[in-house]
Amino acid sequence: MVELYDFFSTLRLAKSLYDNGIVERYPDLFRGLMLREDPFYDLVYNAVGVIFEHTFQYYNEDKMIDVYVFCDPLIDRFCHLCWQYEQHSYLTEEENPYRKEMEQIIRSGFRLGGYNYAYDWSLSANDHGRRRLVFFYGPEFYGLEDLPEGLLEIHEGFQDVNFQLEKALNGLSEEKTMEKEAA
């Protein structure tokens, strides 16, 4: 029964990666993949590393914690669009509905099975360093196979919210242009 679960899990994950264009960007991810348990976990580890453009993995030996850091131009674009929107709308970061929506998407994407994991993000102008998502997990964490699909959900969320922000900014620009013409 475990073999069937791994077989269908591999197919489900492969289909999700294919639907999101990951296979086109990284065709070697699927070459030689055999449908058995080990390749499923190989696919999971490889998929975690390719969903966002820049992914870094670290292991802290002292605390026995694995750390993934996800960076992407999509995240940078989101932060820039939010900053523009806040400037044009005279909103604070806390008042920005697009930031709240993205934070909810991140929470939803990182709602994984198991325990002994945490996540965080740096998407604010007040945060230091590059804009990023961070995922930590310890030795008792057993939900890593759910992480790629959660990351895909977050990646799609950034795409959708960026599109919404661009539309909102275009609307604000048109409003200001009409106000100037009316004056």
Side-chain angles (χ1 to χ4, degrees):
M1 188 55 105
V2 171
E3 293 170 5
L4 278 178
Y5 175 78
D6 291 334
F7 174 78
F8 287 114
S9 296
T10 303
L11 289 178
R12 186 186 78 237
L13 179 56
K15 171 97 170 78
S16 295
L17 294 169
Y18 179 80
D19 290 346
N20 284 282
I22 304 295
V23 176
E24 294 168 5
R25 290 190 346 228
Y26 301 97
D28 291 340
L29 193 61
F30 291 96
R31 284 203 185 112
L33 184 68
M34 297 174 63
L35 297 176
R36 55 186 167 95
E37 184 176 358
D38 290 342
F40 170 65
Y41 289 104
D42 288 344
L43 180 60
V44 166
Y45 284 110
N46 289 335
V48 167
V50 297
I51 292 170
F52 287 97
E53 193 168 309
H54 303 287
T55 300
F56 308 97
Q57 182 183 15
Y58 305 99
Y59 181 70
N60 183 324
E61 287 186 36
D62 296 336
K63 297 182 181 180
M64 295 177 31
I65 294 176
D66 280 286
V67 179
Y68 279 104
V69 179
F70 305 102
C71 302
D72 196 284
L74 197 60
I75 298 172
D76 295 334
R77 180 82 178 136
F78 168 79
C79 294
H80 181 72
L81 290 170
C82 279
W83 179 81
Q84 285 181 319
Y85 182 77
E86 291 155 5
Q87 296 299 310
H88 289 320
S89 300
Y90 306 105
L91 295 173
T92 64
E93 288 181 358
E94 293 79 24
E95 297 169 330
N96 184 341
Y98 298 102
R99 282 190 190 275
K100 291 177 185 177
E101 181 179 352
M102 195 62 233
E103 288 173 3
Q104 186 57 39
I105 292 169
I106 292 169
R107 284 185 186 96
S108 175
F110 283 138
R111 193 167 288 129
L112 307 172
Y115 61 94
N116 198 19
Y117 73 95
Y119 55 90
D120 199 3
W121 56 83
S122 174
L123 304 176
S124 167
N126 299 325
D127 296 327
H128 299 289
R130 182 158 184 205
R131 307 303 165 235
R132 65 201 174 276
L133 302 174
V134 183
F135 183 80
F136 313 86
Y137 68 95
E140 293 90 26
F141 178 62
Y142 64 86
L144 194 62
E145 63 268 6
D146 298 329
L147 186 58
E149 291 192 38
L151 291 173
L152 286 170
E153 179 183 334
I154 294 168
H155 192 271
E156 288 173 9
F158 274 113
Q159 290 173 329
D160 294 343
V161 174
N162 283 355
F163 180 72
Q164 293 172 26
L165 272 163
E166 288 169 351
K167 281 178 56 176
L169 284 168
N170 286 338
L172 288 172
S173 295
E174 289 173 10
E175 251 180 56
K176 288 188 180 195
T177 303
M178 292 191 333
E179 287 175 6
K180 286 180 183 178
E181 289 174 0

